[in-house]
Amino acid sequence: MLADTAEKIKRMEIRGAGRIARAAVQALDDHSASLGTPDLQDYLALMNEAAGLLLETRPTAVSLPNAIRSVMAAFREQYPGVEQAKSAFRERCRAFITASEQAVQRIGEIGARHIRNNDTLLTHCNSEAALACILEAKRQGKEISVFATEVRPRNQGHLTIRTLDKAGIPTSFIVDSAARYFMNEVDLVVVGADAVSVNGAVVNKIGTSQIALAAREARTRVMVAAETYKFAPRTILGEYIEIEERDPGEVLSPAIFSQLPHVRVRNPAFDVTPADYVDLIVTEAGAIPPQMAYIIIRDVLGWDIGEYSGGFG
Ligand code: RUB
């Protein structure tokens, strides 16, 4: 079960930063319940091992280590036996999953306030947090339309247009490279995030930074929807967020590729949009300018530059 979830996250059958975090927490909870050892030290060692396996699945989505650290914090307490440790862990896992779902809903409510009647939006990739804002605006009766990109190479845009269509939102499906062509028709770009750095830089699906650049040129606002557990605490220590580079076969079939000895495929899954290109980050704790990212890391996640404690939760 645990290995199965880890594999699904790697293969992107489970994808999107929020879903990855919840699936990992659910897998850890199931794993904990399945462990038969009566020895507390053995149990804790097996749980640490399990957490390690999940952590390695996708390097960029900081929601994953944040979520795992948050539930594993249950083991900072002392327990008389395995059963007590398991039930405390289960409580933490359930609380995380509920909070994560509520955060998306709250982001939708807050984000929708920044979408006006008759706005044309553009979204990239498939973000449940970004879609929550768009769907809530529609639910409130605002007349909106959306440009949705294809999202090469994995076509996450196909998921997005299904959701938008189901909600009855007029949608134009465009190839990624058409974003600048249409940008003058767009009032607001709405995207999600895999990670937000302490300096307000946003890591999201490859191509987001080009869209933000085109938006800046056209004076179109950019709104990022991101739960607070997507903020990357370790960036306060100067650490960079690793950008995942995926298999070349996602971009070009090995049959073609193997005939081109001088060609190599580069396939970064994410890119970094500097804070200057982002107008607003909508979190469940409120909408902030990107420059206030440190406040979220300090006050919501509990990491302070002065007293680095190595954990939160
Ligand atoms: C997904 C992606 C999404 C963020 C936010 O990339 O870039 O915009 O993860 O999504 P991939 P959400 O498809 O490679 O996982 O708001 O759903 O957490």
Side-chain angles (χ1 to χ4, degrees):
M1 178 61 199
L2 185 90
D4 185 48
T5 301
E7 206 39 51
K8 283 186 173 149
I9 294 175
K10 263 191 212 158
R11 286 201 310 262
M12 290 175 57
E13 267 173 61
I14 299 170
R15 49 144 303 281
R19 286 189 181 89
I20 289 172
R22 289 198 295 275
V25 166
Q26 186 59 58
L28 279 176
D29 187 20
D30 295 342
H31 187 67
S32 157
S34 76
L35 291 175
T37 175
D39 183 87
L40 185 58
Q41 288 317 312
D42 278 355
Y43 167 76
L44 294 177
L46 290 166
M47 288 305 293
N48 271 322
E49 201 180 298
L53 183 85
L54 289 164
L55 276 173
E56 280 168 16
T57 52
R58 289 198 79 187
T60 302
V62 80
S63 54
L64 186 60
N66 277 352
I68 290 174
R69 232 174 266 125
S70 158
V71 293
M72 294 294 283
F75 301 134
R76 291 206 210 120
E77 307 292 325
Q78 302 288 329
Y79 300 103
V82 172
E83 285 318 308
Q84 291 84 348
K86 277 186 179 179
S87 80
F89 185 68
R90 166 143 295 180
E91 229 170 86
R92 278 236 173 208
C93 291
R94 291 193 173 154
F96 178 87
I97 291 171
T98 305
S100 161
E101 287 165 352
Q102 285 170 347
V104 174
Q105 200 186 336
R106 186 80 189 117
I107 285 171
E109 290 160 9
I110 299 172
R113 290 183 206 150
H114 298 272
I115 298 174
R116 298 163 307 185
N117 196 29
N118 292 319
D119 266 357
T120 299
L121 313 173
L122 184 146
T123 192
H124 182 55
C125 199
N126 178 254
S127 155
E128 59 174 357
L131 279 170
C133 304
I134 297 172
L135 295 177
E136 175 59 19
K138 169 72 180 175
R139 202 196 58 77
Q140 292 173 359
K142 291 177 186 166
E143 293 289 335
I144 50 171
S145 59
V146 178
F147 282 99
T149 51
E150 183 181 25
V151 194
R152 278 277 293 150
R154 295 294 297 258
N155 294 324
Q156 287 92 330
H158 290 225
L159 301 170
T160 299
I161 56 173
R162 280 201 177 86
T163 302
L164 293 170
D165 182 70
K166 198 167 159 215
I169 298 173
T171 299
S172 302
F173 185 53
I174 60 172
V175 295
D176 300 331
S177 43
R180 184 170 178 241
Y181 182 87
F182 288 113
M183 194 53 82
N184 279 328
E185 297 176 34
V186 176
D187 300 295
L188 178 69
V189 171
V190 187
V191 290
D194 278 81
V196 180
S197 166
V198 67
N199 62 8
V202 170
V203 180
N204 192 48
K205 180 52 56 193
I206 189 76
T208 303
S209 69
Q210 280 181 185
I211 290 171
L213 196 60
R216 148 74 71 93
E217 180 193 41
R219 304 253 187 282
T220 299
R221 288 174 304 134
V222 175
M223 178 166 95
V224 174
E227 298 88 320
T228 52
Y229 67 87
K230 291 175 183 165
F231 285 62
R234 301 186 70 86
T235 57
I236 65 174
L237 308 169
E239 274 190 21
Y240 292 112
I241 293 159
E242 185 183 338
I243 300 293
E244 175 185 12
E245 193 152 342
R246 294 185 62 87
D247 194 275
E250 290 186 342
V251 178
L252 198 62
S253 86
I256 301 177
F257 187 45
S258 60
Q259 294 167 17
L260 307 169
H262 303 293
V263 174
R264 75 170 172 147
V265 172
R266 301 291 309 271
N267 184 19
F270 302 100
D271 64 19
V272 182
T273 301
D276 281 356
Y277 294 79
V278 175
D279 292 279
L280 198 65
I281 304 180
V282 180
T283 78
E284 75 279 12
I288 57 159
Q291 290 75 10
M292 271 177 64
Y294 174 58
I295 306 295
I296 297 288
I297 292 173
R298 190 189 63 192
D299 295 354
V300 182
L301 302 183
W303 286 52
D304 202 338
I305 289 174
E307 34 161 337
Y308 163 54
S309 63
F312 60 84

XYZ file of all heavy atoms in Angstrom, residues 12 15-19 58 125-129 156 192-194 204-205 230 270, ligand 1:
169
model
N 3.042 10.053 -11.317
C 2.078 11.162 -11.458
C 0.643 10.682 -11.659
O -0.170 11.426 -12.193
C 2.496 12.132 -12.574
C 3.731 12.915 -12.197
S 4.356 13.981 -13.516
C 2.950 14.997 -13.872
N -1.127 13.409 -8.466
C -0.309 14.582 -8.765
C -1.013 15.847 -8.302
O -2.193 15.819 -7.957
C 0.018 14.630 -10.265
C -1.208 14.451 -11.178
C -1.145 15.269 -12.402
N -0.991 16.673 -12.076
C -1.993 17.459 -11.678
N -3.216 17.013 -11.548
N -1.773 18.730 -11.413
N -0.254 16.958 -8.351
C -0.771 18.200 -7.786
C -0.340 18.219 -6.327
O -0.511 17.222 -5.608
N 0.238 19.361 -5.902
C 0.904 19.394 -4.595
C -0.007 19.028 -3.422
O 0.404 18.310 -2.509
C 1.503 20.785 -4.394
N -1.237 19.513 -3.442
C -2.147 19.230 -2.328
C -2.532 17.759 -2.286
O -2.501 17.117 -1.228
N -2.868 17.219 -3.435
C -3.274 15.802 -3.498
C -2.120 14.888 -3.099
O -2.319 13.880 -2.429
C -3.737 15.443 -4.912
C -5.089 16.016 -5.253
C -5.601 15.443 -6.563
N -6.894 16.012 -6.894
C -7.080 17.126 -7.596
N -6.027 17.782 -8.054
N -8.288 17.583 -7.834
N 8.830 12.889 -5.032
C 8.909 14.066 -5.919
C 9.606 15.185 -5.153
O 9.157 15.587 -4.080
C 7.503 14.491 -6.396
C 6.943 13.481 -7.389
C 5.795 14.046 -8.191
N 6.238 14.895 -9.276
C 5.390 15.606 -10.024
N 4.093 15.576 -9.773
N 5.845 16.340 -11.016
N -1.689 24.582 -15.971
C -1.619 23.312 -15.260
C -2.969 22.970 -14.635
O -4.011 23.455 -15.096
C -0.503 23.297 -14.224
S -0.057 21.597 -13.749
N -2.953 22.140 -13.616
C -4.193 21.708 -12.983
C -3.984 21.828 -11.478
O -3.362 20.990 -10.852
C -4.510 20.252 -13.371
C -5.770 19.766 -12.695
O -5.726 18.980 -11.751
N -6.912 20.234 -13.147
N -4.495 22.939 -10.943
C -4.326 23.213 -9.517
C -5.687 23.258 -8.859
O -6.552 24.038 -9.260
C -3.609 24.554 -9.345
O -3.929 25.124 -8.093
N -5.869 22.427 -7.814
C -7.177 22.458 -7.163
C -7.373 23.773 -6.416
O -8.504 24.258 -6.321
C -7.412 21.228 -6.270
C -6.423 21.042 -5.171
C -6.783 19.888 -4.232
O -7.840 19.256 -4.394
O -5.983 19.632 -3.315
N -6.281 24.367 -5.916
C -6.414 25.643 -5.201
C -6.803 26.765 -6.174
O -7.694 27.577 -5.883
C -5.114 25.982 -4.484
N -1.811 18.212 -18.294
C -2.691 18.426 -17.141
C -3.847 19.362 -17.484
O -4.876 19.371 -16.803
C -1.906 19.015 -15.959
C -0.973 18.032 -15.274
C 0.428 18.079 -15.866
O 0.613 18.369 -17.047
N 1.423 17.772 -15.063
N -1.668 27.806 -9.340
C -1.340 27.232 -8.041
C 0.157 27.306 -7.800
O 0.876 28.015 -8.508
N 0.615 26.562 -6.787
C 2.051 26.541 -6.492
C 2.446 25.193 -5.918
O 1.674 24.569 -5.198
C 2.403 27.633 -5.482
N 3.633 24.773 -6.271
C 4.226 23.604 -5.613
C 5.044 24.025 -4.416
O 5.205 23.263 -3.471
C 5.100 22.826 -6.597
C 4.224 21.921 -7.431
O 3.633 22.420 -8.409
O 4.083 20.740 -7.079
N 6.110 26.659 -9.683
C 4.902 26.000 -10.205
C 5.251 25.350 -11.545
O 6.394 25.446 -12.026
C 3.761 27.019 -10.340
C 2.423 26.352 -10.587
O 2.044 25.402 -9.904
N 1.692 26.814 -11.588
N 4.265 24.727 -12.142
C 4.445 23.986 -13.394
C 5.278 24.767 -14.409
O 5.093 25.965 -14.580
C 3.058 23.658 -13.960
C 3.018 22.887 -15.251
C 3.853 21.623 -15.250
C 3.504 20.678 -14.133
N 4.520 19.602 -13.939
N 2.536 24.938 1.568
C 3.370 24.930 0.361
C 4.511 25.946 0.473
O 5.328 26.064 -0.434
C 2.518 25.211 -0.864
C 1.571 24.043 -1.146
C 0.639 24.335 -2.263
C -0.326 23.175 -2.457
N -1.462 23.567 -3.294
N 9.086 22.021 -13.375
C 8.646 23.265 -12.717
C 9.578 24.407 -13.068
O 10.689 24.181 -13.542
C 8.630 23.061 -11.190
C 7.742 21.921 -10.762
C 8.277 20.679 -10.456
C 6.368 22.074 -10.721
C 7.465 19.613 -10.099
C 5.544 21.012 -10.369
C 6.085 19.786 -10.062
C 1.140 20.359 -10.597
C 1.238 21.853 -10.483
C 0.153 22.544 -9.724
C 0.563 22.652 -8.250
C -0.572 23.139 -7.380
O 2.267 19.766 -11.175
O 2.185 22.472 -10.926
O -0.050 23.841 -10.222
O 0.976 21.382 -7.768
O -1.625 22.215 -7.442
P 2.279 18.185 -11.421
P -2.696 22.073 -6.251
O 1.138 17.872 -12.318
O 3.618 17.919 -12.024
O 2.126 17.523 -10.064
O -3.298 23.435 -6.060
O -3.665 21.057 -6.760
O -1.963 21.605 -5.030
